[in-house]
Amino acid sequence: MAIRTERMKEILDIRFDDPQKEKELCLQMLSGECDRYTQAFGRTYLGDAYHTIGQIDQALLELSKALELSEADGYDDLLFVLYNLIGIIYMYNDDEQSALDYFFNGIELSEKVDDKMMQATLLSNIAYAYRGAGAYDKAEKMTDEFYRMICDSSDNESNVEVDRISYETDKIWLYLHKNELDKAWELMQHSEIQNDTSVEKHINFATYYGMKSDHKQCALYIDAAVNAIRDDINKYESVLYQFEIIQIAIDAELYEKALEVAEICEKILNQLGSVGKWTQLMDYKIMIYRALGKASELETAYEKYYECDKLYENEKRHAVVKRARRKLELLHEIDRKQEIEQRQAELFDKRGMDELTGLYNRWGLKRHLELLKKNKDTCP
């Protein structure tokens, strides 16, 4: 692997704090002549920056170029980041199968190089993808495995404590969606959970009180969840949180509250332009306007829904074709590798035979005896 430069280290240091600066540094890096590793690195983190600021099309373009370079040259450190980032983008766009393909590619790589922490991160994302697909038992299994791996890999007790809160928050979410309210409530009484101020905690409490038909407490936690969504959070992640909150409000028949959050969400989607998310938002608005008896708004929501849904179905068909094409390319690479290995073996055998008699020549006899000795040594 190439040695990282000071510019690369600077990008890694600021990527979570200042995505705009990360973007500028990567563009500067790629503006001059650079080797293949530098190109792959620059495009990886340029894609990361685009993703964070919500420019998903540009993110996928850069990440795809980086992936092609990294897979060709075996840049394992970049492949970890790429599999994770591309998987997250597909997951946000409701293509769980493509997301899982990339996450499991990352798992295979992490097992090969024995990187437990990266494997744990990918398991956490796989659990989230299963959650989105409604496969709650699989999600719980992955969540438990993720936490076990974190505990086994971390020497920092404070990190384990933070991860334990995150783990328990995830477990509460799963218990609620599996309708195991007593298990959820038991975890919700832990002091660390009570003192937590995260959006996930407030969403869980809003969900619980909504399921218990305590509309007053549900509304209070909905407001707390909306306020807990930070301004600097990834826009796509913000939309996912808001969709959860809208669904909670609709389930609790708090339609005015649901509409408030939907209006906030629409402003963000005007910047992102995700067809799938627009379709889902219009579906929510149809339910809200129907419940509130707003006929003209309902008609407009229906029109927008059908317009977006048609485009979304086309996107999903393209995603299926793209995924199938990638799998065919991988199968072709495997077949080609096996063909090369077979030809090498045939040439190897041919080199050890006398062309006239078909018997071992001196080189072939020597190799044959070495193989016999090796087999004898390995026999019990």
Side-chain angles (χ1 to χ4, degrees), residues 71-226:
E71 287 185 333
D73 293 5
Y75 301 140
D76 287 351
D77 59 324
L78 297 181
L79 285 173
F80 279 135
V81 180
L82 288 163
Y83 289 144
N84 194 45
L85 276 174
I86 296 173
I88 287 172
I89 289 174
Y90 279 118
M91 185 168 62
Y92 285 171
N93 284 290
D94 304 315
D95 187 353
E96 284 87 3
Q97 186 55 59
S98 290
L100 289 171
D101 286 346
Y102 283 100
F103 290 149
F104 279 113
N105 283 343
I107 290 288
E108 184 178 346
L109 179 59
S110 66
E111 289 175 344
K112 184 181 79 172
V113 300
D114 196 27
D115 189 327
K116 300 295 185 186
M117 295 304 291
M118 177 53 72
Q119 190 173 347
T121 300
L122 289 160
L123 285 172
S124 176
N125 287 334
I126 290 169
Y128 198 93
Y130 281 140
R131 278 171 51 165
Y136 301 131
D137 288 335
K138 287 184 177 180
E140 185 173 8
K141 180 179 178 182
M142 287 293 177
T143 300
D144 291 339
E145 180 65 16
F146 152 71
Y147 181 63
R148 182 196 63 76
M149 194 168 289
I150 286 287
C151 290
D152 290 346
S153 301
S154 177
D155 296 324
N156 188 322
E157 292 183 4
S158 63
N159 281 341
V160 173
E161 179 71 12
V162 171
D163 287 330
R164 188 171 70 81
I165 295 173
S166 176
Y167 168 70
E168 289 187 353
T169 300
D170 287 344
K171 292 286 283 189
I172 291 168
W173 190 98
L174 287 164
Y175 287 146
L176 290 170
H177 286 76
K178 292 170 69 176
N179 205 29
E180 297 176 355
L181 300 190
D182 290 341
K183 288 184 178 180
W185 183 250
E186 183 180 350
L187 283 180
M188 289 164 69
Q189 300 315 298
H190 290 187
S191 59
E192 296 88 350
I193 297 295
Q194 290 282 334
N195 295 328
D196 187 22
T197 59
S198 70
V199 60
E200 294 90 348
K201 173 261 180 87
H202 296 310
I203 284 175
N204 282 341
F205 275 74
T207 302
Y208 177 83
Y209 284 114
M211 295 175 78
K212 285 290 190 177
S213 299
D214 187 338
H215 294 165
K216 182 178 179 180
Q217 286 295 320
C218 179
L220 287 172
Y221 278 107
I222 284 174
D223 289 338
V226 172

Side-chain angles (χ1 to χ4, degrees), residues 300-316:
T300 302
Y302 267 121
E303 290 174 0
K304 182 74 172 179
Y305 174 84
Y306 288 123
E307 177 187 336
C308 293
D309 189 54
K310 184 176 179 180
L311 294 172
Y312 185 43
E313 287 301 319
N314 286 333
E315 279 192 1
K316 287 195 288 186

Side-chain angles (χ1 to χ4, degrees), residues 258-276:
L259 184 57
E260 289 176 17
V261 184
E263 296 296 341
I264 296 170
C265 203
E266 187 166 344
K267 292 178 182 177
I268 298 175
L269 286 181
N270 280 326
Q271 303 172 36
L272 297 179
S274 169
V275 177

Side-chain angles (χ1 to χ4, degrees), residues 315-332:
E315 279 192 1
K316 287 195 288 186
R317 280 194 290 270
H318 286 311
V320 170
V321 170
K322 185 176 180 181
R323 188 163 61 244
R325 186 182 295 125
R326 177 170 173 79
K327 288 185 177 180
L328 285 173
E329 288 172 355
L330 290 172
L331 288 172
H332 176 71

Side-chain angles (χ1 to χ4, degrees), residues 193-376:
I193 297 295
Q194 290 282 334
N195 295 328
D196 187 22
T197 59
S198 70
V199 60
E200 294 90 348
K201 173 261 180 87
H202 296 310
I203 284 175
N204 282 341
F205 275 74
T207 302
Y208 177 83
Y209 284 114
M211 295 175 78
K212 285 290 190 177
S213 299
D214 187 338
H215 294 165
K216 182 178 179 180
Q217 286 295 320
C218 179
L220 287 172
Y221 278 107
I222 284 174
D223 289 338
V226 172
N227 292 332
I229 299 175
R230 305 185 312 275
D231 292 335
D232 63 341
I233 201 169
N234 178 286
K235 288 184 173 63
Y236 266 82
E237 191 174 352
S238 172
V239 168
L240 293 180
Y241 283 138
Q242 287 164 355
F243 277 1
E244 276 201 80
I245 295 167
I246 293 169
Q247 186 64 64
I248 293 166
I250 289 173
D251 291 342
E253 299 182 355
L254 298 169
Y255 297 110
E256 293 288 355
K257 190 71 67 178
L259 184 57
E260 289 176 17
V261 184
E263 296 296 341
I264 296 170
C265 203
E266 187 166 344
K267 292 178 182 177
I268 298 175
L269 286 181
N270 280 326
Q271 303 172 36
L272 297 179
S274 169
V275 177
K277 292 293 178 285
W278 270 111
T279 304
Q280 190 173 348
L281 180 62
M282 288 305 108
D283 190 29
Y284 285 139
K285 282 202 163 186
I286 287 168
M287 288 187 277
I288 294 167
Y289 290 140
R290 185 187 294 126
L292 294 175
K294 298 190 174 187
S296 61
E297 290 90 343
L298 179 61
E299 184 178 350
T300 302
Y302 267 121
E303 290 174 0
K304 182 74 172 179
Y305 174 84
Y306 288 123
E307 177 187 336
C308 293
D309 189 54
K310 184 176 179 180
L311 294 172
Y312 185 43
E313 287 301 319
N314 286 333
E315 279 192 1
K316 287 195 288 186
R317 280 194 290 270
H318 286 311
V320 170
V321 170
K322 185 176 180 181
R323 188 163 61 244
R325 186 182 295 125
R326 177 170 173 79
K327 288 185 177 180
L328 285 173
E329 288 172 355
L330 290 172
L331 288 172
H332 176 71
E333 289 178 11
I334 292 170
D335 290 342
R336 187 166 174 270
K337 182 180 178 182
Q338 290 175 341
E339 181 185 344
I340 291 171
E341 290 174 348
Q342 183 178 349
R343 288 177 61 189
Q344 287 177 333
E346 290 172 354
L347 289 172
F348 202 69
D349 289 339
K350 186 176 180 181
R351 182 183 172 191
M353 295 289 186
D354 182 84
E355 292 183 4
L356 183 62
T357 64
L359 300 174
Y360 284 121
N361 58 26
R362 181 179 176 184
W363 186 89
L365 183 61
K366 180 180 179 182
R367 178 173 175 273
H368 181 65
L369 291 172
E370 288 174 350
L371 288 174
L372 288 175
K373 183 177 183 300
K374 183 178 178 181
N375 290 336
K376 181 179 178 182

